Amino acid sequence: MVDIAVPDVPIAPTPDASGGSSPHAADRRSRPRIDVPGVAEMLLGRWAEDRRISRALALDPATHRLEGASVDDHRERALAQCRLLVEQGAIQRPFPRSFGGQENHGGNVAAFEELTTADPSLQIKAGVQWGLFGSAVLHLGTEHNHEEFLPDILDFTVPGCFAMTETGHGSDVQSIATTATYDPATEEFEIHTPFRGAWKDYIGNAAVHGVAAVVFAQLVTGGVGHGVHAFYVPLRDATGAFLPGIGGEDDGVKGGLNGVDNGRLHFDHVRVPRTNLLDRYGAVAPDGTYSSPIASPGRRFFTMLGTLVQGRVSLDGAAVVAQKLALQIAVTYASERRQFPTAEGEEGVLLDYGQHQRRLIPRIARVFAQSFAHERLLRTFDDVFSGRADTPERREDLETQAAAFKPLSTWAALDTLQEAREACGGAGFLAENRLTGLRADLDVYVTFEGDNTVLLQLVGKRLLGDFAAAAPRDPAGAARFVAARVAGRVADVTRVRAVGQTVLDRGSVRRASQDLRDPVTQRRLLADRVDTMVAGIGMRLRSAGKDRVRQARLLNEQQHELIEAARAHAELMQWDAFTAALADAPDDDSRTVLTWLRDCFGLGLVEEHLAWHLMHGRLSAQRGAAVSATMDRLVGRLRPLATDLVATFGYEPGHVRAPIASGAEARRQDEARAWYAAERAAGRTPGAEPRPRR
């Protein structure tokens, strides 16, 4: 890893992308350059070829969203696009070789993420069909389920639904109210929604196209409830009409993703054969006897849900793709669009203005971090689902990573899309430039496949569990453990660390900046924030002893802090992924640039939480001021490289499809400049109005 010191001096001007001069510097040749193809290969990751194949498919106009299409037309277009995926052999990757698949789990998710560039509705509708409906049959069913149901799912003969969420229960799946009661006399399950809140809701493909569904319900046999299980339930006949006992409603127009026909389903004592139970984790014999390879009901439930984690994994990746598209559009436009006269007399390009750099370049740094973190998540996912490392510990890591990264990337997608829209002014508000449509489509990503706040609670509880496991059990060890935490809090209050920094820096912003850009310093600041928050919550919970009621009350009181700790932990994991990726840079110059970008990401996180670091004595006031000063210098140093950085995303004009990122703006600006130059040369430029005398 190379740590580059940013000098404590202004950065000189370089020519901008349009060929004019900018307020940056004449020493362009001495600057490191980034190897665009080499870094692009880094970003593609292990499943580069799968991504390339999917990107090539996404260049086909038949896969593209048509802006302004009616809801009905958009739905039918998305349906046809799914059939196109089947024709192109794009959906078989994760399925068994016996069904024509490749058992390529990581490559499958990587490829589907890239469909976001074509139309997020296509990505989600395909994800419902093969990533949820098909995967539920594959991972929750056994061989007889596979043989009966998978062929028609794979070739799209049976468009299907993943019917888990209910109107009354979304995140709390364990409490869903739909029942599946076994009748040994007929060897059938009776699927029933006992009240309106138990209707399956927001279900993709339910409104129009779904022919069958995997329905999650409370399994009851012999008067005993065995928790949530999954059942294959036919929904419609060949004419598209609901089968007897089944009803539903169309969710109608949504805020986005209107190519997906979301709807509601309800069941009135609908009977399905016993063999329609997806029985990998729980089986019912003809006489009604229940059996499971997992004795604990709680562990059985979480194991079943864990097999469906790929939805969160794919949303994390799709959110990263959307951010890359937005930044490519906004940076391209900002490097060409001119506004306001500069000291040189010509209008300056937007990207030469300090605030414009600040609004875009740190977000480029963030999406690089999220991209490298997502690659780590994909590798964990593939390790587990391929069976190479399918251990309880690795599964727990997978669930924690997915629950940590999906919230951060989906929230960041909304933030980046909005900032990119504003950075493009009125042009960004035009539907043809895609930013508003992408933002509308990505909005729901923050609440489906797990509400982001709830997911971070899961991460926080894992951190508390690790904290509790690290605490000694013996009285003497426990006393030392508590004393160490108390000493840490005393250090916070007395600001011992901050005093030491002031002595070390000796009043020099440059010295403070150099230490802030040290990766050891950055990681310590990020990790210490996580450890301090988790330890604080953990110590408060310890005060409750074994009183479960008090523990629950204290945990509820600390819920906000716990979610902040989980978010900080996810940010730390992203920083770690970015830092590890530096070793794979194609050359020293690229590593230098990527190190600047990593520092921009890390110090951006410190700047965002600067109040915390100051309040807890982690930074002196001088160092706190140096954080923003160092960020400004890093952003300025990265500005001449901004267009190259977004070029590493590897998206062609056919993926971007935004007129303002097509070169049209540069042509308009060149035309305007040429006209003004000709007018000046011909002496036709009007003189300035004289200033009034005072």
Side-chain angles (χ1 to χ4, degrees):
M1 148 187 356
V2 178
D3 185 44
I4 304 300
V6 180
D8 191 20
V9 294
I11 298 193
T14 45
D16 64 46
S18 302
S21 63
S22 76
H24 291 294
D27 65 343
R28 188 183 186 195
R29 292 180 184 175
S30 66
R31 294 181 179 284
R33 305 299 298 166
I34 192 165
D35 177 353
V36 171
V39 175
E41 197 68 22
M42 288 176 65
L43 291 172
L44 285 170
R46 178 184 292 177
W47 292 278
E49 189 56 28
D50 294 293
R51 290 190 185 276
R52 288 193 189 96
I53 292 169
S54 192
R55 288 184 182 191
L57 178 59
L59 290 172
D60 184 345
T63 67
H64 297 169
R65 169 178 172 160
L66 296 181
E67 298 295 344
S70 69
V71 171
D72 289 342
D73 287 348
H74 197 176
R75 287 175 170 183
E76 292 309 307
R77 185 174 179 82
L79 181 71
Q81 289 169 339
C82 286
R83 293 197 175 106
L84 179 62
L85 295 183
V86 176
E87 293 168 10
Q88 295 295 319
I91 57 88
Q92 287 86 357
R93 287 182 182 88
F95 293 98
R97 298 186 189 280
S98 56
F99 289 92
Q102 302 167 13
E103 299 178 9
N104 177 7
H105 300 280
N108 173 65
V109 174
F112 267 92
E113 292 162 3
E114 298 296 339
L115 295 177
T116 306
T117 64
D119 183 351
S121 283
L122 166 60
Q123 189 242 345
I124 295 301
K125 191 172 182 74
V128 169
Q129 176 67 19
W130 296 289
L132 293 176
F133 178 53
S135 284
V137 172
L138 174 63
H139 295 298
L140 299 180
T142 50
E143 188 175 352
H144 74 93
N145 300 132
H146 298 166
E147 290 175 352
E148 184 173 1
F149 304 129
L150 275 182
D152 287 345
I153 294 172
L154 291 178
D155 68 13
F156 209 43
T157 299
V158 174
C161 306
F162 183 79
M164 176 184 283
T165 299
E166 296 180 355
T167 306
H169 287 96
S171 297
D172 185 8
V173 177
Q174 215 162 1
S175 298
I176 61 174
T178 300
T179 56
T181 305
Y182 184 65
D183 180 358
T186 61
E187 295 188 24
E188 292 173 317
F189 284 99
E190 189 176 83
I191 313 294
H192 185 58
T193 46
F195 47 80
R196 176 60 183 82
W199 285 21
K200 300 299 180 179
D201 211 340
Y202 322 114
I203 308 301
N205 289 337
V208 181
H209 298 141
V211 173
V214 169
V215 176
F216 288 78
Q218 303 284 353
L219 189 156
V220 179
T221 179
V224 177
H226 294 280
V228 176
H229 288 65
F231 301 81
Y232 184 95
V233 181
L235 297 178
R236 289 181 169 93
D237 62 23
T239 70
F242 280 122
L243 295 171
I246 299 174
E249 295 176 353
D250 192 329
D251 277 332
V253 181
K254 307 185 297 291
L257 290 180
N258 279 304
V260 183
D261 56 317
N262 293 88
R264 306 178 183 96
L265 298 169
H266 55 88
F267 306 90
D268 184 8
H269 302 285
V270 174
R271 289 180 168 259
V272 297
R274 176 182 64 88
T275 53
N276 281 28
L277 167 65
L278 304 182
D279 58 357
R280 179 178 179 184
Y281 295 107
V284 173
D287 66 357
T289 303
Y290 179 82
S291 61
S292 172
I294 303 174
S296 165
R299 193 159 66 86
R300 184 189 313 137
F301 169 77
F302 286 109
T303 300
M304 284 194 287
L305 258 61
T307 64
L308 306 171
V309 72
Q310 74 178 43
R312 292 170 189 170
V313 177
S314 65
L315 292 185
D316 177 48
V320 170
V321 169
Q323 290 176 74
K324 290 177 179 177
L325 285 174
L327 288 165
Q328 189 162 337
I329 293 167
V331 169
T332 302
Y333 184 68
S335 67
E336 298 174 353
R337 176 77 158 91
R338 293 179 175 276
Q339 193 83 160
F340 303 112
T342 65
E344 288 79 17
E346 285 198 326
E347 291 181 311
V349 294
L350 296 180
L351 201 52
D352 282 342
Y353 294 107
Q355 183 57 27
H356 216 81
Q357 295 166 18
R358 266 293 204 145
R359 73 196 311 183
L360 295 179
I361 290 173
R363 288 175 171 84
I364 296 175
R366 181 172 64 184
V367 83
F368 266 80
Q370 292 181 349
S371 191
F372 292 131
H374 179 67
E375 174 69 12
R376 279 194 168 186
L377 173 59
L378 266 186
R379 293 185 183 209
T380 306
F381 171 76
D382 193 69
D383 284 347
V384 169
F385 278 70
S386 68
R388 282 192 307 275
D390 188 5
T391 63
E393 295 76 19
R394 196 64 169 153
R395 278 190 175 266
E396 191 172 15
D397 287 342
L398 170 60
E399 290 160 10
T400 302
Q401 287 176 11
F405 292 154
K406 182 261 185 183
L408 266 62
S409 62
T410 55
W411 274 327
L414 296 188
D415 168 73
T416 296
L417 286 160
Q418 182 64 25
E419 196 67 37
R421 206 293 292 161
E422 293 182 35
C424 293
F429 196 60
L430 300 181
E432 67 177 10
N433 290 317
R434 300 196 65 195
L435 295 170
T436 54
L438 284 169
R439 195 195 184 287
D441 285 342
L442 269 288
D443 200 341
V444 74
Y445 283 37
V446 303
T447 50
F448 78 165
E449 292 300 313
D451 175 274
N452 283 357
T453 300
V454 174
L455 291 180
L456 287 179
Q457 287 185 72
L458 296 178
V459 177
K461 288 181 179 179
R462 166 81 187 270
L463 295 175
L464 285 178
D466 291 346
F467 175 84
R473 301 291 182 184
D474 63 289
R480 288 192 297 271
F481 181 79
V482 171
R485 266 72 195 165
V486 171
R489 288 202 296 274
V490 170
D492 291 353
V493 172
T494 58
R495 304 185 183 281
V496 175
R497 301 175 182 87
V499 171
Q501 290 170 5
T502 301
V503 172
L504 182 66
D505 295 341
R506 289 179 288 174
S508 168
V509 175
R510 178 181 175 83
R511 265 195 204 91
S513 177
Q514 286 175 331
D515 191 52
L516 285 168
R517 281 180 277 106
D518 185 324
V520 174
T521 298
Q522 284 181 37
R523 194 182 194 284
R524 185 171 60 242
L525 286 169
L526 299 176
D528 194 37
R529 184 164 180 265
V530 180
D531 294 343
T532 301
M533 287 193 287
V534 172
I537 300 167
M539 293 297 289
R540 285 188 283 275
L541 291 179
R542 282 175 67 92
S543 71
K546 296 182 179 180
D547 185 339
R548 291 182 176 273
V549 173
R550 187 161 179 244
Q551 281 182 355
R553 179 176 58 79
L554 287 172
L555 184 61
N556 189 53
E557 291 171 357
Q558 302 301 313
Q559 195 171 50
H560 174 71
E561 183 85 352
L562 182 65
I563 290 168
E564 282 299 301
R567 187 167 187 159
H569 176 68
E571 292 166 346
L572 174 62
M573 288 196 292
Q574 290 175 342
W575 186 93
D576 283 341
F578 201 154
T579 300
L582 296 177
D584 298 326
D587 54 49
D588 288 342
D589 263 14
S590 297
R591 186 173 296 109
T592 295
V593 174
L594 290 174
T595 301
W596 293 344
L597 205 62
R598 189 280 314 275
D599 291 346
C600 189
F601 174 67
L603 292 180
L605 293 174
V606 175
E607 185 179 49
E608 182 182 351
H609 305 297
L610 191 56
W612 188 94
H613 291 287
L614 291 170
M615 288 171 58
H616 288 78
R618 273 23 178 212
L619 290 173
S620 66
Q622 179 176 295
R623 284 222 177 165
V627 171
S628 292
T630 306
M631 278 290 291
D632 288 338
R633 294 186 181 93
L634 282 168
V635 166
R637 185 166 285 275
L638 287 163
R639 181 269 175 261
L641 298 157
T643 54
D644 284 344
L645 287 169
V646 297
T648 66
F649 300 157
Y651 292 118
E652 301 176 32
H655 296 121
V656 179
R657 303 193 307 283
I660 56 171
S662 67
E665 184 61 32
R667 290 189 291 273
R668 282 193 292 270
Q669 295 294 336
D670 289 344
E671 179 189 24
R673 292 166 78 195
W675 185 86
Y676 281 115
E679 290 295 293
R680 285 193 296 270
R684 293 191 292 267
T685 306
E689 179 181 346
R691 294 184 180 181
R693 293 181 180 180
R694 294 187 179 272

